[in-house]
Amino acid sequence: MNYTFIFPGQGSQSLGMGKDFYENSKSAKELLDHASDFLKINFKHLLFEENDDLNKSQFTQPAILLTSLMAYNTLNELEPNLKAKISLGHSLGEFSALAISGGLDFLEALKLVHQRGLFMQEDCAKIEAGMMVVLGLDDESIEKLCEKARVENKQIFAANYNCEGQIVIAGLKADLLSYENEFKNAGAKRAMLLNMSVASHCPLLENASLKLYKELEKVLKPNFQTIISNVNAKPYSSKEEALNLLKAQLVFPVLYKQSIKTIENETSYFIEFGSKILQGLNKKITTKPTYSLTNLNEIETFLKEIKS
């Protein structure tokens, strides 16, 4: 069996995520406690109690990555010999993939994405940035409308290629709203502004990408297991490649559906850690099954199924 491990990105957060792992897995509990001490963030409060921080990028990103790593640790505790041939993530999830593939220490990965969230928030704080999901339009039509908008001096860019008929665009919130009817008139079933205060994966994050590069230089390992890049949907496994690809990742679109297509013929199962978001997308991209592991029971059920 060939497994591909996949990891969700920003937007997959929810109150209570990871709690089952924390309560039922020694290694997951230890990781959360160590992360809280290392980053001086109360992750028990952030993940399990009502608060205003979970949707702020500098907290959202380490919270999601931590939940994914807790899920991974729990699986590893029960079945240490189950390894992935290749890993990938959606946006932020690429850093989770790096962590489990030996490219980053777990705690350093959490610190890095906390900084990444801060850099992104800083770039977007004064410009009223946002993101919008467009449903029911093909890639080419959306790309042409984004180009048309930029000719009109509007800041609108294709940001996430999630699956057929679903692209997320990024830019200035006012510009996105001004083009809502343009997308609908072109045939979109829906064009809806998302609850986000950053414009990920577009040129508005140029400064953030430069800052991130400097932090990546400090913590990336020289070599690691193969990762599929969000930027070009191609494999990489070295620090030299990672530095340029992860810097570019903040200003180039996420090629998620293309990445899944790249490796589906080499994959028996996709396994998603800590969320069901990518499982939903994968159903629209590939016929290969995706297992989502969001609690201990799902891990135990998954292990029984692959052994039967």
Side-chain angles (χ1 to χ4, degrees), residues 217-256:
E217 281 188 306
K218 301 173 188 175
V219 295
L220 276 170
K221 305 293 186 182
N223 298 284
F224 39 85
Q225 281 187 307
T226 303
I227 305 288
I228 298 294
S229 168
N230 281 187
V231 171
N232 57 18
K234 295 178 180 178
Y236 69 98
S237 58
S238 71
K239 178 177 180 176
E240 183 180 5
E241 296 169 290
L243 281 170
N244 292 317
L245 289 168
L246 294 172
K247 176 190 174 189
Q249 195 221 48
L250 276 182
V251 294
F252 281 84
V254 171
L255 304 183
Y256 180 74

Side-chain angles (χ1 to χ4, degrees), residues 32 38 68 78 109 129 160 193 208 212 221 228 240 255 282 284 298:
L32 184 145
F38 187 72
S68 291
L78 294 174
N160 298 338
L193 203 65
L212 181 65
K221 305 293 186 182
I228 298 294
E240 183 180 5
L255 304 183
N282 279 12
K284 300 173 183 177
E298 287 178 349

